[in-house]
Amino acid sequence: MSSSAKTSRHRMTGPQRRQQLIEVGRSLFAERGFEGSSVEQISEAAGVSKPVIYEHFGGKEGLYAVVVDREIQALLGQITDALTEHEGNARALLEAAAMALLDYIDHSTDGFRILVRDSPPGQSTGSFASLISDIATQVEHILAAEFRRRRLDPKTAPLYAQMLVGMVAIPGGWWLDSRKMKKDDVAAHLVNLAWNGLAGMEARPTLRTRAKS
């Protein structure tokens, strides 16, 4: 360990060291994934000994859980704020939700890469699927109110919320890697499909090919 790293270790307070380890872990998890990152690599990058990581987080799993939880809360906060700002206008809500997720992907690329990776074995939270479910829960009541206004069954709102959020999240990952379109254009196309699809919804949809058999 370099003399500067040793000096840094002694100068940092406990909260400062914890924050530093979170930032280092976030960077490594985004670059190498959970399985590809070791306690040794994290400690070396942070300029500390391995026991320091165990002292603060109990191990790599604990550090990963904190990193993921922070990312989820940040993303949910952005989407909730966007929805609250435009409550009452269904089209504006849809646009705001799409832009909030794309903004997060754009400005918190490392965080998004961590969230779309698989969770560690045995961990039931923090997966991309659970994140999608959490976000969808935030918009269920908004969709339900819109469904009632359009005389559609509000009980189906949770299903449509899952579909809408997933429809934004998956293309968002594609856009992160390709960057072939402007962010606003991606959001506009997503809203185009979702909004025009919602506008033509049937009250009691059926599978037409099944009905013929």
Side-chain angles (χ1 to χ4, degrees):
M1 186 186 303
S2 67
S3 59
S4 61
K6 291 179 180 179
T7 302
S8 173
R9 178 175 65 180
H10 291 297
R11 285 180 177 175
M12 283 190 182
T13 64
Q16 289 173 334
R17 177 62 68 193
R18 180 180 175 85
Q19 181 60 34
Q20 183 218 16
L21 292 173
I22 291 172
E23 292 172 359
V24 169
R26 182 178 186 270
S27 178
L28 286 174
F29 291 140
E31 178 184 353
R32 305 175 184 179
F34 176 82
E35 295 294 343
S37 303
S38 65
V39 173
E40 289 81 2
Q41 291 168 336
I42 296 169
S43 63
E44 181 179 354
V48 300
S49 61
K50 290 191 292 183
V52 175
I53 297 174
Y54 289 103
E55 177 185 349
H56 283 277
F57 303 100
K60 183 177 72 169
E61 292 80 2
L63 175 57
Y64 180 88
V66 171
V67 170
V68 168
D69 183 66
R70 285 193 171 201
E71 295 302 326
I72 289 176
Q73 294 308 314
L75 177 53
L76 287 178
Q78 286 183 223
I79 291 179
T80 300
D81 289 346
L83 295 178
T84 302
E85 183 179 350
H86 296 280
E87 194 162 1
N89 185 327
R91 173 70 185 243
L93 282 170
L94 193 55
E95 292 183 1
M99 283 303 302
L101 182 53
L102 291 174
D103 281 340
Y104 172 80
I105 294 172
D106 192 20
H107 300 139
S108 301
T109 301
D110 280 355
F112 184 75
R113 290 193 187 282
I114 291 170
L115 293 179
V116 299
R117 293 180 188 273
D118 292 335
S119 301
Q123 183 167 313
S124 60
T125 60
S127 68
F128 191 51
S130 68
L131 172 65
I132 293 299
S133 181
D134 288 342
I135 297 173
T137 300
Q138 302 291 316
V139 302
E140 282 179 14
H141 71 285
I142 299 171
L143 275 182
E146 182 66 15
F147 279 16
R148 292 189 188 94
R149 191 179 71 81
R150 293 171 178 260
R151 297 184 178 180
L152 300 171
D153 185 2
K155 294 180 181 179
T156 63
L159 172 62
Y160 282 94
Q162 294 282 342
M163 290 189 290
L164 283 172
V165 174
M167 192 180 75
V168 176
I170 301 303
W174 165 84
W175 174 72
L176 172 63
D177 292 327
S178 68
R179 300 285 182 156
K180 292 181 179 179
M181 299 177 66
K182 294 180 180 179
K183 180 169 56 179
D184 286 6
D185 290 339
V186 174
H189 283 286
L190 286 169
V191 172
N192 180 41
L193 175 60
W195 181 255
N196 288 317
L198 286 171
M201 278 175 50
E202 300 171 344
R204 288 185 170 80
T206 59
L207 298 176
R208 298 183 182 183
T209 54
R210 294 269 183 170
K212 293 178 181 179
S213 59

